[in-house]
Amino acid sequence: MLTKLSARNFSLLKNTSFAFSHGLNVITGESGAGKSLIIDALQFALGKRPNQTFIGTESDECSVTASFEIPKAVAKAGGLPPTVEIERTFNRNGRGYLTLNGEQVLVGYLKDLMSPLVDVSTQFAQQDLFRPSFHREILDAFGDAAFQELLGAYCSSFTELQDARQELSERREAATKGIEEQNYLEFLVGELNSANVSAGDKERLSSELYILEHAEEILRRASTASQLLYSEGDESPSAFDLIARASEEMGALQIEDLGESKLRKIVELLASALDAVSEAKEIISDLTDVPDYSAPEIERLRRRLDEINLLEHKYRIGADEIPALLERSLARLDALHTSPEALLGLESKVMSLEAELLAQAFELNECRRKIGEGMSKAVGGYLTRLGFKQARFIVEISEPEEITPADLREYGVGRSEFIVCLNPGEPARPLAEVASGGEASRLMLAIKAALQGKLSYATIVFDEIEAGVGGDAAFNVAHVLRDLSAGHQVIAVTHLAPVAAAGDHHLEAVKAVKSGVTDIKVVILSGKERTRALARMLGDPERPESIALADSFLQRMTARK
């Protein structure tokens, strides 16, 4: 779950930090106070694409830090630590960094890691409800372990079919291209096989050639360096002698005022310097062991490098890419050599996989119909609780009249779509044709509530999901959010007092202007402050009637806990 969010110079969030808790966390505030900025900051930390509006006007960089507690089962399965801290920055040059527990990571990695743990539903995200492809994803998520296993097997077989179809297409194309490409590839493969170039050859040969061509200078300079570092004669002292003498002098000191820790540090550094000089001396000794630098050997290395350079120029690739070019050419040559019997074998494999997948796709849809019946009942129950007393929620699975291999997709065949009737006496129609903004909000909530036992998310975020909702329906939304928070941490940005009253943890966004600069702070409300905030949402925090009504909302929600 999300435990803490800190923002610095993130739009109007100049420097604020606030904590979250288990259960239902509600975020309130006056219109324009910056409630949704909190969700923007969280999404930015989780990998949302940034833009310049994220950066406050008084700064050149913004940063957000989000801290999470990872459920034990999830942490164990994914090899994750029990706590995760994400820090992300972004500046006006379009640059930034992203760290996970202090280590820099890529945005794609972070999204893969956190997307199964945190779900954010904004007012714009509700548009997903109108996409039939999203309907199928939700329906499949409602399936049990046996269905997931069946779906996984189908997906694996579909990938195998796609690969087989691709190979068959390439071999058919190769069979019709004639002998010209085959002759070219045979020449190329022969030339590259003869050259026998491995990755790293050019760099190694260049290094060897440099050593041989400069052998005399290397020997002279290495000999001089060796004497300066370590000499055993009676001439002027070497670097090793001078450091050793300094170490002896400092080691003999016993002056208390110098401090034991400082003295120990000096002696340790001098000892390290002696080790470094000895190691350098050994490496220099190895360097002076120059191999045979005869003219024939130098000429051989030059010819070999010329050969590699010629191949680089001829095929327009780097030396280290030559082995990969040879491998690709061999594979293509093998495809060109495809026999009629091999083509027949591939065609038979494709037909066999298509028949197998058609049977699996039919079985998947039969399972989806059964899953749809259970989902319809579960979602319908929540719709009733959310104020749609006679609503009908139907999952419709449609297929072509005659299914062919061309109809196969990565998820099966056909189409899954939600059909709803929200008002008595009206026919059931596709959701996109029926639901208004407020109705779509409650539909999204009903679906997530019905799915809550199957959701992997530890944290579910709603940004004004009750948009367009009022009256008794607001209490219904509050009760369902409360139910959902029993198994998940729920964070809800809300403008409705009943929803705010249902919260286990109440945060309020407060806007202030000081010296012409606007700043938003987030404060935790409790007791009388919370009652006044609810009264303000109801109209006037100074009116006794508003305060009394706010108290009644809190009592009503407390009684339902």
Side-chain angles (χ1 to χ4, degrees):
M1 73 168 197
L2 177 66
T3 57
K4 186 178 180 182
L5 190 68
S6 303
R8 181 174 57 82
N9 297 319
F10 187 88
S11 188
L12 300 179
L13 298 170
K14 301 302 181 186
N15 189 11
T16 188
S17 181
F18 42 94
F20 293 87
S21 72
H22 293 277
L24 177 58
N25 297 255
V26 294
I27 302 173
T28 62
E30 296 180 1
S31 295
K35 301 184 294 295
S36 293
L37 270 181
I38 297 170
I39 307 304
D40 288 339
L42 174 60
Q43 289 183 293
F44 168 69
L46 293 172
K48 179 182 179 180
R49 182 184 293 276
N51 60 65
Q52 294 294 324
T53 62
F54 286 179
I55 305 172
T57 56
E58 304 297 319
S59 177
D60 292 325
E61 181 180 86
C62 66
S63 69
V64 175
T65 303
S67 302
F68 293 87
E69 287 181 2
I70 307 299
K72 291 182 179 179
V74 175
K76 184 177 181 181
L80 299 173
T83 59
V84 166
E85 183 176 275
I86 301 165
E87 182 180 4
R88 191 180 184 193
T89 69
F90 181 66
N91 62 35
R92 295 204 181 277
N93 294 326
R95 300 179 180 273
Y97 67 84
L98 173 66
T99 62
L100 179 70
N101 286 352
E103 295 186 8
Q104 193 160 359
V105 296
L106 298 176
V107 171
Y109 170 80
L110 179 73
K111 286 183 176 180
D112 290 343
L113 183 72
M114 299 302 294
S115 58
L117 301 177
V118 183
D119 175 56
V120 181
S121 292
T122 65
Q123 296 174 58
F124 296 107
Q126 291 169 24
Q127 298 303 313
D128 285 339
L129 268 181
F130 302 135
R131 293 190 296 107
S133 60
F134 183 63
H135 299 178
R136 180 193 52 77
E137 293 173 16
I138 295 175
L139 177 63
D140 287 354
F142 210 83
D144 59 15
F147 173 79
Q148 301 303 332
E149 184 177 349
L150 180 63
L151 180 60
Y154 175 89
C155 292
S156 297
S157 297
F158 184 79
T159 300
E160 186 180 356
L161 172 62
Q162 293 292 80
D163 292 342
R165 282 173 169 174
Q166 179 68 22
E167 184 181 359
L168 178 59
S169 175
E170 290 176 355
R171 289 185 179 269
R172 280 173 172 167
E173 179 187 1
T176 61
K177 276 206 169 183
I179 201 68
E180 185 177 336
E181 184 181 3
Q182 181 176 326
N183 290 339
Y184 168 74
L185 287 172
E186 286 176 348
F187 172 81
L188 182 149
V189 167
E191 184 175 43
L192 296 187
N193 270 328
S194 176
N196 192 27
V197 179
S198 300
D201 276 2
K202 183 177 182 179
E203 182 179 358
R204 176 181 57 80
L205 291 168
S206 298
S207 177
E208 290 179 8
L209 181 60
Y210 178 86
I211 291 174
L212 293 180
E213 288 180 332
H214 299 80
E216 292 184 2
E217 182 182 1
I218 291 172
L219 287 172
R220 176 172 54 80
R221 293 186 180 277
S223 177
T224 300
S226 179
Q227 291 179 3
L228 290 172
L229 287 174
Y230 199 103
S231 63
E232 298 179 355
D234 295 331
E235 300 94 358
S236 57
S238 66
F240 186 89
D241 295 331
L242 293 173
I243 296 171
R245 181 176 174 185
S247 180
E248 291 175 2
E249 293 291 338
M250 295 306 296
L253 284 175
Q254 295 184 1
I255 302 175
E256 294 182 1
D257 292 342
L258 185 60
E260 182 181 352
S261 61
K262 289 184 178 180
L263 181 59
R264 185 185 299 112
K265 182 67 174 178
I266 294 170
V267 172
E268 289 175 354
L269 287 172
L270 289 171
S272 297
L274 287 173
D275 292 339
V277 169
S278 299
E279 185 177 356
K281 173 66 168 58
E282 292 178 4
I283 295 173
I284 289 174
S285 297
D286 293 339
L287 191 61
T288 58
D289 187 19
V290 177
D292 178 22
Y293 53 95
S294 63
E297 178 62 14
I298 291 176
E299 185 60 27
R300 184 191 71 80
L301 290 174
R302 285 175 177 167
R303 284 198 304 270
R304 179 61 172 160
L305 281 172
D306 286 343
E307 181 184 17
I308 293 175
N309 289 333
L310 181 61
L311 291 173
E312 284 184 315
H313 179 73
K314 184 175 183 179
Y315 296 111
R316 300 178 183 275
I317 57 175
D320 290 347
E321 298 174 79
I322 291 176
L325 174 61
L326 175 59
E327 185 177 347
R328 291 196 304 270
S329 301
L330 284 168
R332 178 60 178 163
L333 196 56
D334 178 62
L336 288 170
H337 287 154
T338 301
S339 65
E341 292 78 12
L343 277 178
L344 287 173
L346 271 174
E347 289 171 352
S348 176
K349 178 181 179 181
V350 167
M351 292 175 63
S352 175
L353 284 170
E354 287 175 343
E356 177 185 331
L357 280 165
L358 285 171
Q360 289 181 346
F362 180 79
E363 186 178 0
L364 277 174
N365 279 353
E366 288 301 302
C367 290
R368 285 184 175 122
R369 289 185 176 92
K370 294 178 182 177
I371 295 167
E373 292 175 3
M375 183 178 178
S376 295
K377 292 179 181 178
V379 174
Y382 277 103
L383 286 175
T384 299
R385 291 183 57 186
L386 288 170
F388 298 106
K389 298 301 182 183
Q390 299 183 45
R392 286 185 294 143
F393 182 89
I394 304 165
V395 180
E396 184 178 86
I397 311 295
S398 60
E399 299 167 343
E401 289 186 7
E402 294 184 10
I403 302 176
T404 67
D407 297 315
L408 291 169
R409 299 291 184 270
E410 66 272 14
Y411 54 82
V413 295
R415 175 187 176 101
S416 303
E417 188 170 13
F418 297 158
I419 308 297
V420 295
C421 173
L422 300 178
N423 300 299
E426 293 185 357
R429 290 183 292 174
L431 191 151
E433 299 177 13
V434 177
S436 65
E439 290 169 338
S441 299
R442 282 183 281 172
L443 276 166
M444 176 71 86
L445 180 56
I447 289 170
K448 290 196 173 181
L451 279 170
Q452 62 180 295
K454 301 178 183 294
L455 295 175
S456 64
Y457 308 119
T459 299
I460 302 175
V461 183
F462 295 107
D463 185 4
E464 296 192 7
I465 196 170
E466 79 284 6
V469 173
D472 288 340
F475 285 97
N476 298 329
V477 170
H479 294 317
V480 174
L481 284 172
R482 174 75 65 76
D483 289 350
L484 189 58
S485 70
H488 310 267
Q489 180 193 43
V490 175
I491 300 171
V493 174
T494 182
H495 67 281
L496 293 180
V499 174
D504 300 299
H505 189 61
H506 190 156
L507 300 97
E508 183 166 61
V510 180
K511 182 189 290 186
V513 180
K514 185 177 181 181
S515 302
V517 178
T518 303
D519 186 15
I520 294 174
K521 296 291 185 184
V522 180
V523 296
I524 298 173
L525 299 181
S526 61
K528 292 183 177 180
E529 289 181 344
R530 187 179 186 191
T531 302
R532 284 181 60 82
L534 294 177
R536 183 165 51 249
M537 297 173 75
L538 291 167
D540 186 351
E542 304 300 331
R543 290 183 60 193
E545 295 87 345
S546 296
I547 294 175
L549 189 57
D551 275 328
S552 71
F553 283 6
L554 288 169
Q555 292 171 10
R556 179 174 176 178
M557 288 302 171
T558 302
R560 288 291 299 266
K561 286 188 178 182

